[in-house]
Amino acid sequence: MALPEQQALLANSDDVQEETAYEPTEKVHIIVGIGEEVDDYTTPPFSWRKLWLFTGPGFLMSIAFLDPGNLEGDLQAGAIAGYSLLWLLFWATVMGLLVQLLSARLGVATGRHLAELCREEYPTWAGMLLWVMAEVALIGSDIQEVIGSAIAIKILSNGVLPLWAGVVITASDCFIFLFLENYGVRKLEALFAFLIATMAVSFAWMFGETKPDGSELALGVLVPKLSSRTIQQAVGVVGCIIMPHNVFLHSALVQSREVDRRKIGRVQEALNYFSIESAVALAISFMINLFVTTVFAKAFFGTDIANNIGLGNAGQFLQEKYGGGLLPILYIWAIGLLAAGQSSTITGTYAGQFIMGGFLNLRMKKWIRALITRSFAIIPTLIVALIFDTSEDALDVLNEWLNVLQSIQIPFALIPLLCLVAKEDLMGVFKIGPVLKVVSWLVAALVIVINGYLLVDFFSSEVKGLALTSTISVATAGYVAFIVYLVSRGFNFSMNGLYKAGE
């Protein structure tokens, strides 16, 4: 007979004929070894074979830590702040890992992903507003990713293919995604492993070519240092790590594994393996980001052009300083950037499917949903490419606006996640405890405050005129009011849990 805690966990495992992240036939089967069937509550012993079977979702999730927007933040941090912000890059990655582990925990324990749960747990108006926010964040992220990929294609074609042509080529990645998905989720994960390996080799090669200072690198990672001159880059380092669409994505990706949710031991086993593979994936992403930051720190820190480096001209500046070699560094940079852009646009398509399907409860063919999701980002990106193709400065300004756009959306992914993962009648025995709850909210508050600083700094310098200022003020009031509503809703979740526990 199941314990009350187990019943609470299983209350959400009933078969519901609604939109699901993966059909049963699409999931990776986890082999149960001899002697593992002890009881429903015991976690089976560690197995390397099982870790391999669970490996995949964390690496797909880690792509968001390596997209072109992050690479631009890395190179600017290195060029302007030198090695001094490496410690912040490390701790920002740790904070990102915490958020992603909570997302995975929600998906494994409930059998539902964050978008589905937001639709079920919030009033219709709030759910629809959260959906709009998630879609806007996804579009902003995808524009950066596609533009980054298009810049790489332009470099590799020696300028023959303009930015808009690179956008069109990048748009075709959704067909690669659909083709591989038909052959199983493991094939898709293998593609991402190849792209991550390509980034690692490319940026490690650049690291070897430029030979950054090892002692300065170690001090940068171990010794916290921050000055008023580098505060904007510090904000950018933290702001780029937590991506709203990635919080939704990871809670869905973990459902690609077959987990017997009727047994608490099996759910805990899945959480253990997903935690290990996510930590390994983000450790690799940290190293890749570190390579990029230190390369540009060595090459351009303290130079006159440090403040003028962006994705569009970074490769050319590197080539001018470190030209020659077996393969020109310009092309090494472009190959790494192309791998980052292609992989992140495919995961963006993936995330868009889950977000749209979850919030709207759409059951439609995947190619139709992928086409719709892709169109949301590709059409505005094509317009951007045609307008800004000849102006690198304009692209950098656009990138600043897109960073702000995504920063605005962060609370609308983080707050629902933290509220739901602490809800006892939803999570059962897998709800987060008081210590983890406090730490998670402190991390969320820190990220929201840091991004709030970015927003205030940006709008104070960019917004002029009474009419525009008034509009921004009204929008800000509505924005803050919705955040307060989400937090209060989470408080109500907690209070209801206490009332039920006391009955």
Side-chain angles (χ1 to χ4, degrees):
M1 185 175 179
L3 294 175
E5 292 87 349
Q6 189 182 20
Q7 290 173 339
L9 170 67
L10 303 180
N12 299 285
S13 65
D14 298 332
D15 292 330
V16 180
Q17 295 304 313
E18 294 183 332
E19 192 277 339
T20 56
Y22 296 91
E23 298 296 334
T25 55
E26 297 174 320
K27 296 187 178 185
V28 176
H29 176 64
I30 306 299
I31 299 171
V32 178
I34 298 174
E36 288 190 357
E37 293 292 356
V38 183
D39 57 53
D40 292 351
Y41 305 98
T42 302
T43 304
F46 178 81
S47 162
W48 286 105
R49 184 183 184 189
K50 279 194 178 181
L51 177 60
W52 170 248
L53 291 173
F54 277 102
T55 296
F59 283 88
L60 267 70
M61 167 274 293
S62 73
I63 294 294
F65 290 68
L66 298 167
D67 69 4
N70 274 283
L71 297 183
E72 182 155 33
D74 292 338
L75 66 89
Q76 290 174 346
I80 297 171
Y83 301 90
S84 66
L85 296 181
L86 293 179
W87 67 275
L88 190 59
L89 174 62
F90 172 77
W91 286 108
T93 305
V94 171
M95 289 191 295
L97 174 61
L98 172 62
V99 171
Q100 296 304 147
L101 290 181
L102 292 178
S103 177
R105 187 186 192 96
L106 183 72
V108 173
T110 65
R112 314 283 281 166
H113 58 80
L114 182 57
E116 293 173 307
L117 291 169
C118 285
R119 186 189 77 237
E120 294 170 0
E121 299 290 335
Y122 289 94
T124 301
W125 69 268
M128 293 304 293
L129 193 51
L130 287 171
W131 170 62
V132 171
M133 294 297 187
E135 290 288 0
V136 169
L138 182 60
I139 291 169
S141 174
D142 215 3
I143 290 174
Q144 286 182 311
E145 293 157 357
V146 173
I147 289 293
S149 188
I151 288 171
I153 292 171
K154 185 176 181 179
I155 293 172
L156 291 171
S157 68
N158 287 319
V160 173
L161 294 174
L163 213 56
W164 66 265
V167 170
V168 173
I169 292 170
T170 304
S172 65
D173 64 17
C174 69
F175 298 106
I176 298 173
F177 156 71
L178 290 169
F179 174 77
L180 286 175
E181 195 178 32
N182 287 333
Y183 288 91
V185 68
R186 295 294 271 175
K187 300 291 191 302
L188 191 63
E189 290 167 354
L191 171 64
F192 283 103
F194 170 75
L195 292 171
I196 291 172
T198 301
M199 280 185 269
V201 171
S202 297
F203 298 134
W205 190 327
M206 288 170 50
F207 185 88
E209 290 278 327
T210 56
K211 297 179 177 62
D213 189 298
S215 60
E216 289 285 341
L217 188 159
L219 285 173
V221 172
L222 298 174
V223 180
K225 190 186 298 183
L226 191 62
S227 69
S228 57
R229 188 170 51 86
T230 60
I231 191 70
Q232 188 173 359
Q233 283 67 47
V235 169
V237 167
V238 177
C240 286
I241 287 296
I242 297 180
M243 307 289 284
H245 74 271
N246 210 38
V247 179
F248 287 95
L249 176 64
H250 201 196
S251 63
L253 290 174
V254 294
Q255 293 174 49
S256 62
R257 268 50 180 181
E258 185 181 71
V259 177
D260 188 350
R261 293 182 51 256
R262 296 168 301 177
K263 299 178 180 180
I264 289 176
R266 293 293 174 192
V267 176
Q268 186 60 57
E269 176 188 43
L271 291 175
N272 293 343
Y273 286 122
F274 283 133
S275 297
I276 293 170
E277 68 114 13
S278 295
V280 171
L282 289 194
I284 293 171
S285 77
F286 168 71
M287 291 303 301
I288 293 173
N289 283 314
L290 182 142
F291 288 151
V292 175
T293 303
T294 53
V295 162
F296 283 87
K298 171 65 185 294
F300 303 109
F301 177 57
T303 65
D304 294 335
I305 62 173
N307 289 297
N308 301 317
I309 298 177
L311 280 183
N313 57 22
Q316 192 58 49
F317 282 136
L318 281 172
Q319 181 65 23
E320 290 171 4
K321 190 155 188 172
Y322 298 100
L326 181 63
L327 182 65
I329 200 167
L330 171 65
Y331 297 116
I332 300 171
W333 162 254
I335 290 169
L337 181 59
L338 181 62
Q342 287 292 329
S343 58
S344 56
T345 52
I346 297 175
T347 56
T349 302
Y350 219 13
Q353 287 198 33
F354 294 132
I355 289 170
M356 180 181 290
F359 275 110
L360 304 183
N361 193 25
L362 294 178
R363 289 186 64 84
M364 61 173 62
K365 292 182 179 179
K366 288 188 176 181
W367 72 268
I368 297 177
R369 194 186 303 170
L371 196 59
I372 295 172
T373 303
R374 211 78 200 94
S375 300
F376 279 167
I378 292 301
I379 292 173
T381 307
L382 268 174
I383 296 170
V384 165
L386 289 170
I387 294 174
F388 296 113
D389 192 18
T390 57
S391 175
E392 290 175 353
D393 291 339
L395 269 178
D396 289 337
V397 171
L398 172 69
N399 191 58
E400 289 180 16
W401 277 94
L402 291 174
N403 285 337
V404 168
L405 182 68
Q406 291 172 80
S407 297
I408 289 173
Q409 315 304 327
I410 285 177
F412 307 122
L414 272 185
I415 295 175
L417 172 66
L418 297 186
C419 292
L420 293 172
V421 83
K423 189 177 180 185
E424 186 169 8
D425 60 350
L426 180 71
M427 297 291 293
V429 296
F430 294 103
K431 72 167 187 174
I432 57 174
V435 174
L436 184 54
K437 188 175 181 179
V438 170
V439 171
S440 301
W441 276 103
L442 286 175
V443 167
L446 178 62
V447 171
I448 291 171
V449 167
I450 287 174
N451 282 281
Y453 171 86
L454 173 65
L455 299 179
V456 171
D457 180 66
F458 181 81
F459 284 119
S460 62
S461 61
E462 296 291 333
V463 176
K464 308 293 182 183
L466 180 61
L468 189 54
T469 302
S470 300
T471 303
I472 293 294
S473 299
V474 171
T476 301
Y479 175 80
V480 172
F482 191 40
I483 290 176
V484 171
Y485 166 78
L486 292 174
V487 172
S488 64
R489 182 86 178 182
F491 179 74
N492 290 336
F493 287 162
S494 298
M495 293 306 296
N496 290 338
L498 289 175
Y499 292 149
K500 289 181 179 179
E503 290 176 355

